[in-house]
Amino acid sequence: MKKIIYLILLIIIGFSIGGCINTPNEDFNNKIIIYSLNDLHGAIFEDGQEAGMSKIGDFLIKQKEKYPDSVVILSAGDMFQGTAVSSLTKGKIVVDLMNEIGFDAMTIGNHEFDWGIEGITRFMDGDDENGEANFPLLSANIYQKSKNDLADFATPYTVIERGPLRIGIIGTLGESQTNDILASIVADYQFTDQLTAIKNYTKILRTEENCDIVIVSSHSDTKAINQSLANLDGDYKVDAVLNGHTHYYYAGEEHGTRSVPLPYVQSGNNGKYIGKIVLDIDPETKQVTDVSASNLATTTYCRSENSKLTQIINQYQDVITQANQVLGVAGKTLNRTEGTQWAADTIRKHADADVGIVNGGGIRSAAFPISKDSTVTFGTIFKMMPFENIVMKVQLTGAQLKSVIDLNRDSLFFSANINVLNKTINNQPIADDQLYLVATIDYVFEKQVYNFYAGQNIVNTNILFRDYLVNEVLASVQETGKWLS
């Protein structure tokens, strides 16, 4: 009798243990919570609506600690380029912070190319001194022409686990964004159709990687294809979409032919918002049953700094000091349009040229307005013009210059001595056969549409355009006591 009772007890214990093994993780609360940043552009420090990375990171770390089997932290690209401290470290300070926060993946954005391909590969080359990312850099549609395959530096997807779930994350980049990158850097690359890439890798994730959930993190505004994505089901189903690049602020759901809508979100820029998508999960089928998408204002939700993140930032005191170098005081209030016109006039003046040309997108909106009597630092000018653009000089005939004016595809700003409507320079008609010395930046110069290469006496000055701007501020302050007084 005792033997029988003993055997029964062993069987009961065996079933209990077996039940424990097959029970979903106790910390899994039947939800996947996706937090995302896009287009941070190196906004490390608190500034107005920008909470700064110490506070943003503290919020994300606490969420992950509270719900370790639910929270996923992602970036939709353009994290590094935009402020002096970040750009002077070529993004290393941002990567260090993202590592500490625990990002699960980051999509490659167009501005990740600003320091060349090596500016991307340095974070995965095994050299700790130049910075190593503890998270994958994703893109499933960067095609390298010379090797007839995807670029080696871009990982199409990654797979992570949360509780009982396997989650696949696909990165993509907008097809037209080669136009937003210095042409010489991406001459060997093409950004292929996003929808095709998403469908291809979604099927791989679901059939070969056994993923239960698929997230798309796209450095582009995918609204044009969201309906198609919302209609995908079965092996091709996408459960959530993160967007970037356009700096828009939105969150919503696309209702397709399947029963559960597709949530999508884009969260502005410079760390003003954190995207949040919540997926309710059926623990039995591991399928998404309901969704929600929203944006969290970081100045509201991110209230406390994180000591470890602040310590990382303080390790870069040398570049912080350089960024805070005071150049002078603004003599007037300046909006972005006025600032871009000033930049076009400055490149003409300092290059001793007849004409100055800059693209409107090169002078960034995040720097404006600059208020009268506000302190202007090196960081101020860096935020205005964060890119490593070089000044180029070329002689164009009047006919060629008129063609550039007529072909304006990049919101070009011309120095104020040109009237683009009347085709005059210094109130004199532009003569077709006369040579004019034009100064512009390499980004504009390399645009094939303008055909600057057909000009004469091309000179690469190897001078940063930003240096012209800084020197002009210093000269103005020295002469009048204020910048633009």
Side-chain angles (χ1 to χ4, degrees):
M1 184 67 178
K2 288 182 178 179
K3 288 184 179 180
I4 294 173
I5 293 172
Y6 180 71
L7 287 172
I8 292 171
L9 287 172
L10 284 177
I11 292 169
I12 292 171
I13 291 170
F15 276 121
S16 298
I17 293 173
C20 288
I21 290 174
N22 294 321
T23 299
N25 190 306
E26 290 181 358
D27 292 329
F28 177 61
N29 63 351
N30 299 335
K31 292 182 186 294
I32 291 297
I33 307 169
I34 307 162
Y35 290 107
S36 62
L37 290 177
N38 61 270
D39 300 274
L40 179 72
H41 289 294
I44 304 297
F45 299 103
E46 186 174 4
D47 183 10
Q49 290 182 301
E50 304 167 16
M53 281 299 280
S54 184
K55 290 184 175 181
I56 292 172
D58 186 69
F59 171 83
L60 294 173
I61 289 170
K62 286 176 178 175
Q63 293 302 308
K64 206 164 193 177
E65 288 175 346
K66 188 174 182 181
Y67 306 109
D69 288 315
S70 292
V71 169
V72 178
I73 303 176
L74 302 174
S75 161
D78 275 9
M79 294 294 283
F80 309 143
Q81 179 73 281
T83 63
V85 172
S86 179
S87 295
L88 288 169
T89 66
K90 288 185 165 53
K92 185 177 183 296
I93 186 172
V94 177
V95 169
D96 288 349
L97 293 168
M98 292 173 71
N99 285 341
E100 180 64 31
I101 292 167
F103 273 74
D104 293 294
M106 171 183 159
T107 298
I108 296 171
N110 58 293
H111 284 300
E112 269 68 70
F113 287 86
D114 284 350
W115 300 300
I117 303 302
E118 63 275 11
I120 300 171
T121 58
R122 67 195 292 259
F123 295 123
M124 56 185 86
D125 63 2
D127 183 356
D128 289 335
E129 290 189 7
N130 65 19
E132 288 298 293
N134 294 340
F135 48 88
L137 300 175
L138 304 179
S139 193
N141 66 325
I142 301 178
Y143 172 81
Q144 188 169 351
K145 301 172 188 175
S146 60
K147 63 179 293 224
N148 195 29
D149 203 350
L150 290 180
D152 291 332
F153 60 82
T155 302
Y157 65 83
T158 189
V159 177
I160 62 175
E161 294 185 353
R162 290 294 181 269
L165 301 176
R166 284 176 61 80
I167 302 171
I169 303 158
I170 302 169
T172 59
L173 186 58
E175 297 91 337
S176 66
Q177 289 177 40
T178 51
N179 297 321
D180 299 323
I181 303 169
L182 193 65
S184 55
I185 292 176
V186 290
D188 193 31
Y189 299 92
Q190 177 185 354
F191 303 158
T192 59
D193 182 68
Q194 288 190 85
L195 182 59
T196 300
I198 290 167
K199 291 173 67 176
N200 178 41
Y201 287 104
T202 298
K203 185 174 182 179
I204 290 173
L205 286 169
R206 292 201 181 272
T207 62
E208 298 178 24
E209 299 283 2
N210 298 315
C211 288
D212 307 293
I213 305 296
V214 174
I215 302 166
V216 171
S217 175
S218 174
H219 188 73
S220 68
D221 189 328
T222 63
K223 284 186 177 180
I225 63 171
N226 278 358
Q227 184 65 59
S228 297
L229 293 174
N231 289 336
L232 298 177
D233 211 343
D235 292 340
Y236 297 98
K237 184 171 71 171
V238 173
D239 295 294
V241 174
L242 313 176
N243 289 152
H245 186 61
T246 56
H247 297 192
Y248 293 156
Y249 162 86
Y250 56 70
E253 301 172 11
E254 188 71 47
H255 292 265
T257 55
R258 65 196 194 198
S259 59
V260 179
L262 174 74
Y264 59 87
V265 66
Q266 183 173 185
S267 307
N269 65 303
N270 287 54
K272 298 184 183 76
Y273 299 94
I274 297 172
K276 181 181 181 181
I277 288 178
V278 179
L279 307 177
D280 291 345
I281 309 296
D282 184 322
E284 300 298 328
T285 64
K286 299 182 181 179
Q287 297 294 302
V288 177
T289 59
D290 199 4
V291 301
S292 66
S294 60
N295 273 302
L296 311 179
T298 55
T299 52
T300 300
Y301 286 86
C302 307
R303 308 303 293 268
S304 59
E305 292 189 358
N306 180 280
S307 59
K308 289 184 178 179
L309 296 175
T310 299
Q311 185 178 2
I312 289 172
I313 293 170
N314 290 338
Q315 291 173 358
Y316 292 89
Q317 194 58 51
D318 55 338
V319 292
I320 294 173
T321 299
Q322 184 178 350
N324 291 335
Q325 175 191 349
V326 175
L327 303 180
V329 174
K332 60 180 287 188
T333 296
L334 207 67
N335 62 35
R336 184 185 184 186
T337 299
E338 293 166 331
T340 308
Q341 185 61 63
W342 170 77
D345 292 336
T346 296
I347 196 172
R348 182 190 73 84
K349 174 182 175 182
H350 285 261
D352 195 23
D354 298 308
V355 180
I357 305 174
V358 300
N359 61 306
I363 304 300
R364 309 300 283 179
S365 61
F368 299 96
I370 296 172
S371 301
K372 182 180 180 181
D373 295 328
S374 64
T375 300
V376 179
T377 66
F378 180 74
T380 305
I381 303 304
F382 215 111
K383 199 169 187 178
M384 180 191 301
M385 207 288 154
F387 312 118
E388 308 302 296
N389 289 130
I390 300 295
V391 176
M392 301 290 295
K393 300 189 338 185
V394 59
Q395 286 185 314
L396 298 181
T397 65
Q400 290 171 324
L401 178 57
K402 289 177 182 178
S403 177
V404 173
I405 293 171
D406 291 336
L407 287 169
N408 190 342
R409 298 285 189 276
D410 297 273
S411 300
L412 297 180
F413 274 66
F414 295 81
S415 48
N417 64 323
I418 288 189
N419 186 314
V420 296
L421 295 178
N422 297 330
K423 303 290 196 323
T424 62
I425 295 180
N426 301 321
N427 296 319
Q428 299 297 315
I430 297 175
D432 286 349
D433 297 331
Q434 184 174 334
L435 287 175
Y436 298 91
L437 182 59
V438 176
T440 187
I441 59 175
D442 52 0
Y443 172 80
V444 175
F445 184 90
E446 291 186 6
K447 293 280 189 177
Q448 291 184 0
V449 65
Y450 303 124
N451 200 20
F452 283 107
Y453 285 106
Q456 303 176 34
N457 300 319
I458 296 170
V459 176
N460 181 334
T461 68
N462 287 314
I463 298 172
L464 285 175
F465 176 39
R466 187 187 312 112
D467 289 346
Y468 277 4
L469 303 182
V470 169
N471 291 337
E472 179 61 18
V473 173
L474 291 172
S476 178
V477 170
Q478 185 175 8
E479 181 180 351
T480 67
K482 291 186 177 182
W483 170 45
L484 295 174
S485 59

